[in-house]
C-alpha cells in the first residue's frame, strides 16, 4: 500500500534525511588510501549516534539475504554495485567507492547514496559517476505532481542507455516513510507515462545505479549481500530521498 505523507511528515523526514546526508559527507571526507571499510562504517555510526538516530540497515534481512546486514553503511568498491558489507579490507588510491546510508529518527526514515573516487579518479570512472549523478538529477526533476512513476524511470534509463551503461533490472528506487522500503517500486529504466500517478505527499527514494561494462548482469558475492558486475566492470550509485510536492520535487537528504 502506498502512503501519502502529510506536510508535517515530510518535514520530519527532512530531519532524518539531513542526518543521512551528514553521515555520507562525513564518510566521504574520511575516506583515504589505507583506511579500512569498517572504519568508514564507524564514521557513519558516530554521526547517527550523535544525532540520536537509529539505522534501518543494521540487522535488516530481506528475503534474499542469508544473514542480517551487519553494518549501518553499505560500502561497495569498484565492481561492487550495491549492498557492499564493510570489512577489514583497505581503500587504495583510485578505488571507486559507493556508499549508501539510512537513518531512522522520530519514526521516519531517510535513505541516500553517493559515489566518489579515493585519490585520483580515472577518466572513465569520472564519466561513470558524472552520468549516474546526472541521471539522479533527471529522475528528481521528473518527480512532479501529475507525472507517473514511468516518467522517473524513463528519465534515468534514457541517460544510462545513451551512455552505453548497464542497468541491473531487479534493483532500483522505492517508496519510503515509516519504513525504509515501501511501495511503490521505482525502476531505473522504463516507459514514460506508465505506472502510478505522482501526488503531493508521495515520498520516493530515487537511486540510479549504472554498470560501466554495458551489461545488466550481476551476481551475489559469497557474503550473500554484495552485488558485483559479472564482467568485473566498475559501478556507480547515487540516491536521494525525494518528496513530490505541489511546489516541485523536494530533496530530503541533503546535509
Amino acid at each position: 500500500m502506498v502512503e501519502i505523507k502529510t506536510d508535517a511528515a515530510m518535514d520530519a523526514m527532512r530531519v532524518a534525511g539531513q542526518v543521512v546526508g551528514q553521515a555520507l559527507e562525513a564518510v566521504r571526507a574520511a575516506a583515504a588510501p589505507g583506511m579500512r571499510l569498517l572504519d568508514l562504517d564507524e564514521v557513519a555510526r558516530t554521526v547517527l549516534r550523535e544525532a540520536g538516530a537509529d539505522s534501518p540497515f543494521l540487522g535488516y534481512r530481506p528475503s534474499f539475504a542469508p544473514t542480517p546486514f551487519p553494518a549501518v553503511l553499505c560500502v561497495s568498491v569498484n565492481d561492487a554495485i550495491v549492498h557492499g558489507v564493510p570489512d577489514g579490507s583497505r581503500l587504495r588510491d583510485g578505488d571507486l567507492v559507493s556508499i549508501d546510508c539510512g537513518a531512522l529518527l522520530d519514526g521516519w526514515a531517510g535513505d541516500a547514496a553517493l559515489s566518489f573516487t579515493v585519490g585520483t579518479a580515472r577518466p572513465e570512472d569520472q564519466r561513470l559517476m558524472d552520468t549516474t549523478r546526472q541521471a539522479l538529477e533527471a529522475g528528481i526533476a521528473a518527480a512532479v505532481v501529475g507525472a507517473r512513476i514511468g516518467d522517473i524511470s524513463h528519465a534515468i534509463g534514457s541517460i544510462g542507455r545513451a551512455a552505453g551503461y548497464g542497468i541491473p533490472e531487479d534493483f532500483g528506487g522505492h517508496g519510503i516513510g515509516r519504513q525504509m522500503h515501501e511501495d511503490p517500486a521505482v525502476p531505473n529504466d522504463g516507459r514514460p507515462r506508465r505506472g502510478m500517478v505522482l501526488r503531493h505527499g508521495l515520498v520516493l527514494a530515487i537511486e540510479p545505479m549504472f554498470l560501466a561494462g554495458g551489461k545488466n548482469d550481476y551476481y551475489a558475492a559469497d557474503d550473500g549481500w554484495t552485488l558485483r558486475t559479472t564482467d568485473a566492470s566498475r559501478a556507480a550509485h547515487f540516491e536521494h530521498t525525494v518528496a513530490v510536492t505541489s511546489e516541485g520535487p523536494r530533496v530530503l537528504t541533503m546535509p
Side-chain angles (χ1 to χ4, degrees):
M1 184 180 75
V2 175
E3 178 188 6
I4 300 300
K5 278 70 177 179
T6 65
D7 289 351
M10 289 188 284
D11 289 342
M13 291 187 70
R14 169 66 183 124
V15 179
Q18 188 173 29
V19 174
V20 176
Q22 291 168 348
L24 291 175
E25 288 299 321
V27 171
R28 176 162 59 178
M35 175 166 272
R36 299 185 310 159
L37 305 190
L38 281 170
D39 296 331
L40 298 182
D41 185 67
E42 186 56 39
V43 171
R45 286 176 188 255
T46 298
V47 174
L48 295 182
R49 182 169 58 249
E50 291 180 351
D54 294 319
S55 170
F57 288 18
L58 185 62
Y60 181 60
R61 188 178 184 182
S63 58
F64 67 80
T67 59
F69 196 74
V72 306
L73 188 72
C74 295
V75 187
S76 305
V77 182
N78 295 332
D79 66 323
I81 307 165
V82 287
H83 304 163
V85 178
D87 58 18
S89 60
R90 296 181 182 274
L91 295 173
R92 297 176 297 177
D93 184 74
D95 278 344
L96 195 167
V97 182
S98 297
I99 53 175
D100 191 351
C101 188
L104 289 170
L105 187 62
D106 295 329
W108 295 101
D111 187 11
L114 57 85
S115 295
F116 60 90
T117 298
V118 177
T120 305
R122 306 188 309 182
E124 59 268 33
D125 289 346
Q126 191 62 58
R127 175 177 178 267
L128 174 63
M129 291 186 291
D130 289 345
T131 304
T132 311
R133 186 187 300 108
Q134 179 187 0
L136 172 60
E137 293 169 353
I140 293 172
V144 296
V145 172
R148 293 178 179 267
I149 292 290
D151 296 322
I152 299 174
S153 303
H154 179 71
I156 293 170
S158 60
I159 289 174
R161 298 300 184 196
Y165 295 139
I167 303 174
E169 297 178 357
D170 299 326
F171 291 89
H174 49 88
I176 183 171
R178 294 285 184 183
Q179 305 293 326
M180 177 172 60
H181 290 136
E182 297 182 352
D183 291 332
V186 186
N188 284 325
D189 199 8
R191 299 174 63 183
R193 306 309 301 165
R194 297 296 180 95
M196 175 184 173
V197 176
L198 308 184
R199 296 169 49 192
H200 177 91
L202 178 65
V203 182
L204 304 170
I206 300 174
E207 52 177 322
M209 49 196 80
F210 291 164
L211 316 184
K215 297 180 179 179
N216 303 334
D217 304 323
Y218 60 88
Y219 69 95
D222 290 343
D223 61 26
W225 276 100
T226 308
L227 302 183
R228 297 187 179 276
T229 61
T230 57
D231 58 5
S233 65
R234 293 188 169 191
H237 176 209
F238 284 85
E239 176 184 18
H240 270 308
T241 296
V242 180
V244 178
T245 81
S246 55
E247 290 77 36
R250 181 185 180 190
V251 178
L252 303 180
T253 40
M254 297 295 290

